[in-house]
């Protein structure tokens, strides 16, 4: 429906919509299970919500991983995967959204006591995967 159309045009869902989805998702996960949130939070309001949930004891927030790549490398990958929403306009819109909302988020997380680990995402997938696993192990996350 409407959400799908927004995403196809390269727009991200609003903070309230995304938080609502994550909130429901968290309710469905047993307390003893660990969880990796991929692509959340993407904005400071989403991160503020996440931090408040963590502080209220809903879950323990261990760390954040920031996958770092140039726009050129990201664009090449997006075009290769040939999804319908990976056209030039949509990609440019997502880059602008990233610079406006997500780049400041990385600094915000760090200054709010969340450990952020930068990983070079332009390396081969196997190496990126290995570095993510090593980061978890170093932080006693199995």
């Amino acid at each position: 429906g409407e959400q799908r159309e927004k995403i196809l045009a390269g727009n991200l869902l609003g903070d309230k919509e995304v938080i609502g989805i994550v909130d429901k998702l968290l309710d469905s996960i047993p307390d003893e299970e660990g969880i990796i949130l991929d692509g959340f939070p993407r904005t400071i309001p989403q991160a503020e919500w996440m931090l408040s949930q963590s502080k209220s004891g809903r879950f323990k927030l261990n760390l954040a991983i920031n996958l770092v790549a140039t726009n050129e490398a990201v664009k090449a990958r997006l075009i290769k995967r040939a999804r319908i929403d990976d056209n030039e306009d949509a990609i440019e819109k997502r880059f602008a959204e990233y610079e406006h909302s997500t780049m400041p988020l990385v600094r915000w997380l760090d200054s709010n006591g969340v450990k952020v680990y930068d990983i070079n995402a332009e390396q081969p997938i196997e190496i990126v995967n290995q570095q993510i696993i090593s980061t978890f192990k170093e932080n006693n996350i199995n």
Side-chain angles (χ1 to χ4, degrees), residues 30-77:
D31 286 347
E32 67 281 358
E33 289 290 322
I35 181 172
I36 296 171
L37 296 171
D38 178 4
F40 180 88
R42 276 184 205 267
T43 65
I44 289 172
Q46 291 172 16
E48 287 173 335
W49 177 84
M50 185 180 66
L51 215 54
S52 74
Q53 297 296 302
S54 169
K55 284 183 174 147
S56 73
R58 188 171 184 188
F59 52 79
K60 183 177 187 294
L61 182 57
N62 298 94
L63 58 93
I65 289 179
N66 181 33
L67 297 173
V68 181
T70 62
N71 284 5
E72 290 73 31
V74 172
K75 189 183 270 189
R77 277 193 194 164

Side-chain angles (χ1 to χ4, degrees), residues 21-130:
I21 293 166
V22 174
D23 197 26
K24 275 201 194 88
L25 178 74
L26 288 172
D27 279 344
S28 69
I29 294 165
D31 286 347
E32 67 281 358
E33 289 290 322
I35 181 172
I36 296 171
L37 296 171
D38 178 4
F40 180 88
R42 276 184 205 267
T43 65
I44 289 172
Q46 291 172 16
E48 287 173 335
W49 177 84
M50 185 180 66
L51 215 54
S52 74
Q53 297 296 302
S54 169
K55 284 183 174 147
S56 73
R58 188 171 184 188
F59 52 79
K60 183 177 187 294
L61 182 57
N62 298 94
L63 58 93
I65 289 179
N66 181 33
L67 297 173
V68 181
T70 62
N71 284 5
E72 290 73 31
V74 172
K75 189 183 270 189
R77 277 193 194 164
L78 290 175
I79 289 167
K80 217 185 269 174
R81 71 179 187 175
R83 261 179 33 185
I84 193 167
D85 59 332
D86 289 336
N87 59 66
E88 289 279 333
D89 286 350
I91 290 170
E92 285 308 319
K93 203 176 238 179
R94 290 207 294 266
F95 283 153
E97 184 72 43
Y98 177 83
E99 290 201 15
H100 175 258
S101 300
T102 307
M103 279 172 81
L105 168 67
V106 174
R107 284 190 297 277
W108 186 92
L109 287 169
D110 189 56
S111 62
N112 281 274
V114 178
K115 277 196 283 188
V116 179
Y117 292 85
D118 288 337
I119 292 178
N120 174 1
E122 292 186 35
Q123 303 173 98
I125 291 171
E126 302 74 32
I127 293 174
V128 173
N129 185 46
Q130 198 46 60

